[in-house]
Amino acid sequence: MPVDRATTRAWLIWSTAVLVYVAALFHRTSLGVAGLEASERFSVGPAALGTFTVLQIGLYALMQIPTGLLVDRFGPRRVLTAAALFMGLGQTLFALADSYPLGLAARAVLGVGDAMTWVSVLRLAAAHFPPRRFTVVMTLSAALGGAGNLVATVPLTLLLDHAGWTVTFLVAGLLTAAYAGVVAARVREVPDGVPQPVVEPTPLRAVGARVREAWREPSTRLGFWVHFTSMSAPAVLGLLWGFPYLVEAQGLSRPAASAVLSTLVLVAVVTGPVMGTVIGGRPQWRMPIVATYLAAAVVCWAVLLGWPGGVLPTPVLYAVFAVLAVGNPVSGVAFALVRDYNPLHRVSTATGVANVGGFGAVTFTALVVGVLLDVFEPVLPVAQAYRVALLSVVAVLLVGVWRTVVWWRRARAAVFAAQDRGEAVPVQLRRRRWDVLVEA
């Protein structure tokens, strides 16, 4: 049974857990401003540099469904504890790595730990807070996670300049590993007075069936494509290619580039709780908000890549990055859809399925941008080479927009069919002229 109110203890447990997610965002995005140093440290070009992010985010994407199953089986406390240990170990190895293969191994370990955080935090929110608060807590979690992302912009740039690579990343890794003890001691799976759920081991043959059940739910599929389209473009810029693009293609200084990049974080932090409040109180607005953002994102990329001469005025860069940043809180709509239309025992698995969408898109796009830069940088001016490479981001965005529209219509059709059968649905929808009953 869901809880009917949020207690002080619930907020304390959530705050302990969300700090792991803050650390995850710092570790995940730390290469965003350290990319040029990594290129020099490991003597690699753009494609090899992109492999760091591709490997880390690729593992993150691949781990989402297994993480959902692990959380359903062992509970979020154990999984979050393991996540902090993995991230601490990965960042410590990255601090000490002096060869490209060892650096890749370190980012792989980091990616495994990172992958365990978000689904665990959402599962704790689902268990400790009433359903009406879930969306607000989710977007607040994402906004606070942005604090880790923010530290990985200007502050991290200054730390790297003054303390150096090894000290900066070694301290971050050791602190994260030590925090695993705090998580193990303070986090609880369920509220006081609620019996611990008895979870039977899931046979391997049943794993695929559970994933298929989640995937067959049209709103899970819609959540996958919402996440695919809304978070992938700002993530590609924030995780790796935004900083080199601003420095090498736009001619900004490193501090100025960090400041522009921090717009991705600051806007997300400010708009996240507002977005959560709006879509929590007006769930029927969720998909219109997604559609509005996607239209704005297409316009922003047209400005970014179509500007005459390729070099944009700095205020325009700030404006474009600010609009694209809204994609991070908008992507929370995906998890609200999953939470509303899947039974509780399947929520973590379905959340993992939806989370694969955005990170799968990031993995693919980060790799393609690096490969295209390797191909075109020797033959084109650097601004033009980045323009060609970043067209891959636009291509992925447009594919995602198309699939989002398809599954939006199918998910609406499924809701209308349930209403016609007299079943209760989480969100009452009004039929529109463009609604067509299709088989979902």
Side-chain angles (χ1 to χ4, degrees):
M1 288 290 293
V3 298
D4 57 1
R5 66 187 184 89
T7 64
T8 300
R9 184 172 177 80
W11 285 109
L12 289 173
I13 289 172
W14 167 80
S15 63
T16 302
V18 84
L19 282 178
V20 184
Y21 182 61
V22 172
L25 264 291
F26 169 80
H27 295 307
R28 184 191 306 168
T29 58
S30 59
L31 203 58
V33 297
L36 298 178
E37 284 88 348
S39 182
E40 295 174 3
R41 183 179 180 89
F42 301 113
S43 302
V44 295
L49 180 62
T51 303
F52 279 119
T53 298
V54 168
L55 177 63
Q56 180 183 345
I57 301 303
L59 278 171
Y60 184 105
L62 289 174
M63 281 288 295
Q64 286 311 289
I65 293 174
T67 295
L69 295 168
L70 286 171
V71 172
D72 286 339
R73 174 67 182 87
F74 296 105
R77 182 178 68 88
R78 292 179 182 177
V79 176
L80 275 177
T81 302
L85 290 172
F86 273 111
M87 289 190 294
L89 175 61
Q91 197 68 291
T92 299
L93 288 175
F94 199 57
L96 302 175
D98 56 3
S99 68
Y100 183 61
L102 186 56
L104 286 176
R107 297 306 283 189
V109 175
L110 191 59
V112 171
D114 183 8
M116 297 178 175
T117 57
W118 182 240
V119 174
S120 300
V121 171
L122 291 189
R123 178 58 179 269
L124 284 170
H128 287 274
F129 293 91
R132 67 181 182 278
R133 288 282 189 93
F134 177 80
T135 303
V136 175
V137 174
M138 175 191 66
T139 51
L140 184 59
S141 302
L144 290 175
N149 198 341
L150 185 61
V151 174
T153 55
V154 177
L156 182 59
T157 301
L158 297 175
L159 281 171
L160 287 169
D161 288 343
H162 292 88
W165 176 285
T166 300
V167 172
T168 298
F169 289 131
L170 185 60
V171 170
L174 293 176
L175 287 175
T176 303
Y179 190 70
V182 179
V183 175
R186 295 186 59 182
V187 170
R188 294 294 177 266
E189 315 285 358
V190 294
D192 292 337
V194 176
Q196 189 77 17
V198 177
V199 180
E200 298 294 333
T202 304
L204 187 60
R205 64 179 180 276
V207 170
R210 180 175 292 185
V211 173
R212 286 193 296 273
E213 287 175 3
W215 184 246
R216 278 198 295 266
E217 168 56 53
S219 291
T220 300
R221 198 85 64 97
L222 175 59
F224 176 96
W225 288 109
V226 167
H227 203 249
F228 182 102
T229 50
S230 55
M231 71 81 62
S232 57
V236 167
L237 293 173
L239 288 171
L240 184 62
W241 292 118
F243 190 80
Y245 165 73
L246 292 169
V247 172
E248 297 180 341
Q250 296 299 315
L252 298 184
S253 67
R254 293 168 58 86
S258 294
V260 173
L261 203 62
S262 67
T263 305
L264 291 173
V265 185
L266 291 172
V267 171
V269 168
V270 172
T271 59
V274 175
M275 189 72 64
T277 302
V278 171
I279 64 179
R282 296 285 189 273
Q284 66 273 19
W285 291 3
R286 292 187 297 207
M287 288 309 300
I289 288 173
V290 171
T292 301
Y293 167 74
L294 293 180
V298 171
V299 172
C300 283
W301 280 104
V303 171
L304 200 65
L305 302 183
W307 195 270
V311 178
L312 286 73
T314 302
V316 176
L317 287 172
Y318 272 106
V320 168
F321 274 60
V323 174
L324 292 176
V326 180
N328 284 314
V330 167
S331 69
V333 169
F335 306 116
L337 291 167
V338 165
R339 174 66 178 83
D340 280 354
Y341 292 94
N342 283 276
L344 187 59
H345 72 271
R346 204 173 64 204
V347 164
S348 296
T349 302
T351 299
V353 171
N355 213 17
V356 169
F359 287 97
V362 172
T363 302
F364 173 79
T365 309
L367 176 62
V368 172
V369 170
V371 170
L372 291 176
L373 284 174
D374 264 358
V375 171
F376 288 102
E377 272 190 331
V379 297
L380 291 176
V382 65
Q384 296 299 319
Y386 270 96
R387 179 181 289 183
V388 173
L390 291 175
L391 281 173
S392 61
V393 182
V394 179
V396 169
L397 174 65
L398 293 176
V399 169
V401 169
W402 164 49
R403 298 308 298 169
T404 299
V405 170
V406 168
W407 281 100
W408 186 9
R409 295 179 66 197
R410 293 181 180 182
R412 287 176 65 87
V415 171
F416 291 136
Q419 288 177 342
D420 292 342
R421 293 192 299 268
E423 298 175 8
V425 296
V427 181
Q428 294 289 330
L429 302 177
R430 293 177 55 192
R431 293 185 188 273
R432 305 293 182 182
R433 287 184 298 175
W434 47 269
D435 278 311
V436 178
L437 288 177
V438 293
E439 188 169 75

